[in-house]
Amino acid sequence: MIVSCLIPLTICLIAGWVSVRTDNRTLDGIPAPIAAIIGVCSLIWLVAVCPWPVELALVVAVLIMARAYLQNILNAG
């Protein structure tokens, strides 16, 4: 079961890294949208195969990161 969760997580992280590291100003920027689509699909796959405690941990992690990010924005304004 852990391997079935690690495969889509790894694909999603690699796709995110490719999407962020691609230069969008040239024709070399073509892999960025393809990597983003692959990353979203693998993220959906990850949520589908993971048990609910892992999904709950992912949601809590996203909420904590979003709160910290929003707190920085609100403090700067």
Side-chain angles (χ1 to χ4, degrees), residues 41-65:
C41 291
S42 65
L43 190 61
I44 292 170
W45 178 24
L46 174 69
V47 172
V49 297
C50 282
W52 69 268
V54 175
E55 292 174 7
L56 183 65
L58 289 171
V59 168
V60 169
V62 167
L63 290 175
I64 290 172
M65 288 173 33

Side-chain angles (χ1 to χ4, degrees), residues 15-39:
W17 182 75
V18 168
S19 182
V20 170
R21 300 287 292 172
T22 303
D23 185 17
N24 292 328
R25 293 174 285 167
T26 63
L27 287 177
D28 292 338
I30 293 172
I34 295 171
I37 292 169
I38 291 171

